[in-house]
C-alpha cells in the first residue's frame, strides 16, 4: 500500500488530504486526481519481511517522516516514476507483547510522550515499531481507529519503542522485556502536533532538485528560474537558518554549488526564492 500525504498545497490553502493506492503484481503503482502541492509518501509492504517507511530519494525508506523527501506534484505530474526501496526486516523475533493506546495531546503544556497526557482523541495510523540494539526493526504495526496497537513478536532484552505520525512530534522510549515478569508490557502515551518547521510554499516552483543525495560535503542545486537576484537559504529541522547565499539567476535552468562541509549529519531544507517563485527541497547530509 502506498499513501500520499499532502503537506503543502500549491494554491496556499489548507487541506487534509491523503490518497492511498496499491501496487500491482510487478510492484507498480500510480496516483491520479492529486491536489497540486508537496507530498510525503508512505509505503507499507503487505509482506512483513520488509520494513515500511517514508520515501527518500535514491535511498531506502526512512522510518521518520521528518527525514522523508518531499515530492512536488504539479497539475499534470503523477507519482508513477517514484521508486521506493524497502529493507528486509532482520530483527530477532520473540514472544513478548507490547501494547497500548496513542492519543493526540492538544494541551499547551507538556511534551510528546508524557504518560500523564491521555485525555486526547485516539490517534489512528501512527507508525509504531520496536528497534533492537543493532538498529534492526523487530516488530511494527499501525494504530487502529481507536489508537490501539499491539506488537506480538518482541524478544527478551532492551529495545527502543518508537511512534511516528506525519504532523506530530515523534516518541521514543527504552523498554525492557523478558519471559518472566515483563512478557506483557503496556505503554500508552500522547503525541503532540508538530507544524512543519519551515513555512510551506504558497507558489511551488517546478524542477527544483539537489544532487547527489545523500550529500557528503557539496552538492549542486538546479532550478528553473527567471532573470534576477535569488536567495538560497538552508534551514535545519528546527527552522533555523544555517546558511544563505545570493545568486544572480538567468531565465531557464540555473545551477548553484552548495557547500555542506560545515554542517553535521542530518536532514535540511534548501529554499530557493526567485522572484515570485519559491520552492523548498529536503536534503540529507551524511558523514
Amino acid at each position: 500500500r502506498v499513501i500520499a500525504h499532502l503537506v503543502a498545497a500549491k494554491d496556499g490553502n489548507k487541506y487534509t488530504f491523503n490518497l492511498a493506492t496499491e501496487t500491482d503484481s510487478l510492484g507498480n503503482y500510480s496516483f491520479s486526481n492529486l491536489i497540486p502541492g508537496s507530498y510525503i509518501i508512505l509505503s507499507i509492504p503487505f509482506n512483513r519481511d520488509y520494513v515500511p517507511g517514508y520515501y527518500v530519494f535514491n535511498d531506502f525508506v526512512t522510518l521518520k517522516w521528518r527525514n522523508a523527501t518531499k515530492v512536488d506534484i504539479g497539475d499534470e505530474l503523477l507519482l508513477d516514476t517514484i521508486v521506493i526501496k524497502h529493507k528486509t526486516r532482520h530483527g530477532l523475533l520473540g514472544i513478548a507483547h507490547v501494547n497500548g493506546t496513542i492519543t493526540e495531546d492538544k494541551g499547551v503544556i507538556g511534551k510528546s510522550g508524557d504518560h500523564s497526557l491521555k485525555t486526547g482523541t485516539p490517534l489512528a495510523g501512527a507508525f509504531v515499531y520496536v528497534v533492537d540494539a543493532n538498529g534492526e526493526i523487530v516488530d511494527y504495526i499501525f494504530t487502529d481507529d481507536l489508537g490501539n496497537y499491539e506488537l506480538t513478536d518482541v524478544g527478551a532484552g532492551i529495545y527502543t519503542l518508537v511512534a511516528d505520525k506525519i504532523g506530530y512530534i515523534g516518541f521514543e522510549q527504552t523498554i525492557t522485556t523478558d519471559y518472566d515478569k515483563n512478557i506483557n508490557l503496556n505503554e500508552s502515551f500522547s503525541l503532540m502536533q508538530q507544524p512543519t518547521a519551515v513555512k510551506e510554499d504558497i507558489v511551488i516552483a517546478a524542477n527544483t532538485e539537489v544532487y547527489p543525495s545523500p550529500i557528503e560535503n557539496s552538492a549542486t542545486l538546479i532550478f528553473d528560474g527567471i532573470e534576477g537576484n535569488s536567495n538560497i537559504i538552508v534551514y535545519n529541522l528546527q527552522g533555523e537558518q544555517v546558511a544563505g547565499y545570493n545568486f544572480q539567476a538567468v531565465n531557464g535552468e540555473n545551477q548553484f554549488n552548495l557547500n555542506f562541509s560545515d554542517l553535521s549529519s542530518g536532514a535540511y531544507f534548501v529554499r530557493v526564492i526567485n522572484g515570485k517563485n519559491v520552492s523548498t527541497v529536503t536534503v540529507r547530509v551524511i558523514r
Side-chain angles (χ1 to χ4, degrees):
R1 177 166 299 223
V2 184
I3 306 170
H5 295 259
L6 178 67
V7 293
K10 185 176 180 180
D11 61 12
N13 293 322
K14 298 295 183 180
Y15 301 97
T16 300
F17 181 80
N18 301 320
L19 191 61
T21 189
E22 294 182 4
T23 59
D24 62 19
S25 60
L26 299 177
N28 299 315
Y29 70 96
S30 65
F31 287 99
S32 58
N33 300 318
L34 291 175
I35 296 173
S38 183
Y39 285 81
I40 288 175
I41 311 301
L42 172 63
S43 180
I44 310 169
F46 290 136
N47 185 340
R48 289 182 58 83
D49 290 340
Y50 297 94
V51 178
Y54 305 96
Y55 164 72
V56 176
F57 175 72
N58 202 31
D59 202 350
F60 289 100
V61 295
T62 179
L63 297 173
K64 298 183 178 181
W65 72 272
R66 295 291 291 178
N67 297 331
T69 297
K70 292 182 182 178
V71 179
D72 288 345
I73 303 301
D75 296 306
E76 304 296 332
L77 181 61
L78 301 181
L79 285 182
D80 56 1
T81 57
I82 302 298
V83 179
I84 303 173
K85 300 192 292 185
H86 292 272
K87 290 183 177 180
T88 304
R89 185 160 61 118
H90 294 296
L92 296 178
L93 305 182
I95 60 173
H97 288 213
V98 182
N99 61 73
T101 301
I102 301 179
T103 57
E104 179 181 1
D105 171 28
K106 295 183 178 180
V108 296
I109 300 177
K111 62 182 180 179
S112 187
D114 190 334
H115 283 58
S116 67
L117 302 172
K118 299 181 183 178
T119 59
T121 56
L123 200 58
F127 183 20
V128 186
Y129 54 95
V130 170
V131 184
D132 65 17
N134 296 319
E136 300 290 350
I137 299 296
V138 175
D139 198 8
Y140 69 86
I141 199 169
F142 291 82
T143 54
D144 61 20
D145 290 342
L146 299 178
N148 299 321
Y149 72 92
E150 184 175 14
L151 302 166
T152 60
D153 294 333
V154 183
I158 300 175
Y159 299 93
T160 302
L161 174 66
V162 184
D164 189 80
K165 182 175 172 63
I166 294 176
Y168 292 82
I169 300 172
F171 167 75
E172 294 188 14
Q173 177 175 302
T174 301
I175 59 173
T176 302
T177 59
D178 57 54
Y179 296 153
D180 183 15
K181 297 181 180 180
N182 295 320
I183 194 170
N184 293 300
L185 295 182
N186 182 278
E187 298 290 342
S188 296
F189 48 88
S190 298
L191 296 183
M192 294 182 66
Q193 288 193 10
Q194 173 63 67
T196 304
V198 179
K199 186 178 182 297
E200 298 297 344
D201 307 325
I202 296 177
V203 179
I204 298 177
N207 301 325
T208 301
E209 61 179 325
V210 174
Y211 77 91
S213 179
I215 300 163
E216 292 187 7
N217 294 305
S218 63
T220 300
L221 169 69
I222 300 178
F223 66 95
D224 284 347
I226 58 175
E227 184 176 358
N229 186 61
S230 298
N231 292 318
I232 300 169
I233 306 171
V234 182
Y235 299 91
N236 61 20
L237 288 181
Q238 288 70 49
E240 302 166 334
Q241 180 177 333
V242 295
Y245 311 92
N246 290 320
F247 177 70
Q248 290 297 318
V250 298
N251 290 321
E253 182 180 290
N254 290 265
Q255 295 190 16
F256 182 81
N257 184 63
L258 294 167
N259 183 3
F260 289 87
S261 60
D262 293 332
L263 299 181
S264 59
S265 298
Y268 296 86
F269 299 101
V270 178
R271 165 160 288 192
V272 181
I273 304 174
N274 172 236
K276 294 183 179 180
N277 295 325
V278 181
S279 61
T280 304
V281 293
T282 306
V283 299
R284 282 199 313 126
V285 175
I286 60 172
R287 294 283 184 257

